[in-house]
């Protein structure tokens, strides 16, 4: 499926030998490592940038990291199905929900509730999808690191562009989405 207008597609950077370090935003490419996991790469490159003097807001914006909890965090999906497509997940590289300590599992659900409130407020959707694919056979794109998808849906949002042209039009760029999300999550706490 083709996706129109994707300025963030270049956020996947390659090393000198051409190896793809998936999940490392181009502006955070100073981190030299590769965990082999998109989400661990994302987190580690953000933390590396902050540890080396980058403004935390700037580093987290570059990585689409919206909210840090104690055991879990919320970030934007770099390849959203719809505007406002969030993911909540543990920092720990775990592939099963049952492997999460119960406090982390509870925090994940708390972040899901916050995500629901934020998505309702910002996007006024007709409905929402919350879901988790555990394992490749279940459709997980990143099977090693469990993540809960949260996305707003509208009646007809998979309309003729998808069914006819196999193309999605994404009306909001990720930088804008991040800023709106960041503010909305902060407002929930105040
Ligand atoms: Zn991971």
């Amino acid at each position: 499926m083709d996706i129109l207008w994707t300025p963030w597609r270049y956020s996947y950077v390659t090393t000198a030998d051409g190896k793809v370090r998936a999940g490392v935003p181009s502006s955070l490419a100073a981190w030299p490592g590769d965990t082999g996991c998109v989400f661990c790469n994302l987190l580690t490159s953000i933390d590396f940038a902050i540890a080396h003097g980058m403004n935390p807001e700037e580093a987290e914006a570059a990585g689409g990291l919206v909210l840090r909890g104690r055991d879990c965090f919320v970030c934007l999906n770099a390849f959203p199905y719809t505007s406002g497509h969030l993911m909540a997940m543990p920092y720990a590289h775990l592939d099963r929900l049952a492997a999460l300590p119960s406090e982390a599992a509870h925090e994940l659900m708390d972040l899901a509730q916050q995500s629901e409130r934020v998505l309702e407020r910002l996007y006024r959707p007709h409905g929402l999808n919350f879901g988790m694919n555990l394992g490749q056979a279940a459709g997980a794109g990143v099977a090693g690191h469990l993540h809960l998808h949260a996305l707003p849906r509208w009646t007809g949002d998979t309309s003729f562009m998808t069914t006819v042209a196999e193309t999605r039009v994404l009306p909001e760029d990720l930088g804008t989405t991040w800023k709106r999300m960041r503010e909305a999550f902060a407002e929930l706490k105040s």
Side-chain angles (χ1 to χ4, degrees):
M1 178 176 288
D2 298 318
I3 299 178
L4 298 181
W5 193 51
T6 56
W8 52 86
R9 281 210 136 173
Y10 299 96
S11 67
Y12 278 54
V13 299
T14 53
T15 53
D17 62 3
K19 193 180 170 207
V20 173
R21 294 190 295 147
V24 180
S26 54
S27 57
L28 305 179
W31 174 60
D34 186 3
T35 66
C37 169
V38 171
F39 301 130
C40 291
N41 277 356
L42 176 70
L43 281 169
T44 312
S45 63
I46 290 171
D47 288 342
F48 181 91
I50 294 170
H52 287 75
M54 186 181 278
N55 176 297
E57 285 280 305
E58 192 186 328
E60 292 182 358
L65 200 168
V66 175
L67 178 73
R68 289 183 197 254
R70 204 193 71 156
D71 299 312
C72 301
F73 66 99
V74 177
C75 67
L76 302 183
N77 189 324
F79 301 97
Y81 282 113
T82 64
S83 291
H85 185 166
L86 292 173
M87 296 181 296
M89 70 188 85
Y91 297 114
H93 185 85
L94 297 169
D95 65 354
R96 284 293 184 271
L97 190 55
L100 266 187
S102 84
E103 279 192 11
H106 291 160
E107 188 184 39
L108 189 65
M109 197 46 63
D110 178 50
L111 293 178
Q113 289 183 317
Q114 291 182 45
S115 298
E116 181 186 349
R117 292 190 184 104
V118 163
L119 293 176
E120 292 273 15
R121 183 186 296 183
L122 290 183
Y123 294 95
R124 306 275 173 216
H126 299 140
L128 300 118
N129 285 129
F130 280 73
M132 203 177 265
N133 305 320
L134 301 178
Q136 228 146 33
V142 181
H145 198 139
L146 74 90
H147 50 285
L148 174 70
H149 292 275
L151 54 147
R153 300 300 303 270
W154 295 268
T155 306
D157 64 11
T158 56
S159 63
F160 75 99
M161 281 302 279
T162 296
T163 43
V164 176
E166 292 214 332
T167 299
R168 287 191 195 115
V169 181
L170 301 170
E172 186 178 79
D173 74 272
L174 286 182
T176 303
T177 303
W178 180 84
K179 194 167 182 302
R180 298 177 72 209
M181 294 282 190
R182 184 77 151 190
E183 289 167 1
F185 273 96
E187 279 170 19
L188 281 187
K189 300 222 154 172
S190 62

